[in-house]
Amino acid sequence: MKTLLLVDGSSYLYRAFHAMPDLRNAANEPTGAIHGVLNMLRRLHKDYPADYCACVFDAKGKTFRDDIYPEYKANRAPMPDDLRPQIEPLHEAIVALGWPLIMIEGVEADDVIGALAKQAESEGIRTIISTGDKDISQLVNNHITVVNTMRDAFRRTDDVLDIAGVEKKFGIPPNLIIDYLTLI
């Protein structure tokens, strides 16, 4: 069976930014998030070989959810100043490494990932999704697995969520994750 590896680049970006020290290049520009994401992608590709792969990022601007509910993410802190200038160079580096980069205007990365995973499933392709976003757990089934490679970077233990993994972690099957997250 063929395998598709999908990476939530936006999740990686924020995780790397907050986990890495304040690294800078010779021009004193911040580079910690770039360094962290690229290292995570290299390790992921080594640990989870796949026939197809893509790194998916949130596109700039509002999404369809903002149109439906103007308060959507209204309480979320703005992007840190040192993170913003790292995004474009990171995108360029990801493409230079050979990863397809996907950003779809008007939708979030996790929506794109969900659509791609379901399409792959319909074509008999196994999908591994790498993200720290627990909402993605709702997609887990016999063809879709979620891997959180950022759970414990020092001990290199991945949080692999297949159907049994979701049930162990949350106490419910994947099809109830939406209800669970709504209630908590």
Side-chain angles (χ1 to χ4, degrees), residues 134-135 137-138 166-184:
K134 63 182 172 261
D135 295 358
S137 300
Q138 67 185 290
V166 170
E167 290 175 350
K168 181 179 179 188
K169 182 174 183 167
F170 297 103
I172 55 170
N175 66 318
L176 295 178
I177 289 292
I178 293 293
D179 297 328
Y180 170 79
L181 293 174
T182 301
L183 291 171
I184 63 164

Side-chain angles (χ1 to χ4, degrees), residues 6-19 33-34 36-37 40-41 54-61 63 73 76 79-80 83 87 90-91 94 100-104 107-113 129-133 136 150:
L6 296 172
V7 176
D8 183 346
S10 296
S11 173
Y12 268 42
L13 178 68
Y14 275 89
R15 287 276 201 50
F17 178 77
H18 292 292
I34 297 168
V37 170
M40 289 189 291
L41 286 174
C55 194
V56 186
F57 280 85
D58 294 329
K60 284 183 183 178
T63 69
K73 295 191 178 181
R76 186 163 284 186
M79 182 180 290
L83 181 55
I87 295 173
L90 175 61
H91 290 171
I94 289 170
L101 183 71
I102 301 173
M103 291 182 292
I104 306 292
V107 294
E108 294 179 0
D110 55 350
D111 297 316
V112 176
I113 289 168
I129 301 169
S130 183
T131 184
D133 186 345
I136 295 285
M150 297 166 275

Side-chain angles (χ1 to χ4, degrees), residues 15-24 30-36 86:
R15 287 276 201 50
F17 178 77
H18 292 292
M20 295 296 294
D22 184 21
L23 302 176
R24 301 210 168 238
T31 60
I34 297 168
H35 179 75
Q86 296 185 67

Side-chain angles (χ1 to χ4, degrees), residues 39-60:
N39 281 338
M40 289 189 291
L41 286 174
R42 281 189 206 102
R43 178 178 161 227
L44 180 72
H45 204 45
K46 180 178 160 257
D47 292 350
Y48 298 93
D51 301 287
Y52 317 102
C53 64
C55 194
V56 186
F57 280 85
D58 294 329
K60 284 183 183 178

Side-chain angles (χ1 to χ4, degrees), residues 119-136:
Q119 180 180 352
E121 177 186 12
S122 74
E123 296 178 23
I125 298 170
R126 177 177 172 248
T127 301
I128 299 170
I129 301 169
S130 183
T131 184
D133 186 345
K134 63 182 172 261
D135 295 358
I136 295 285

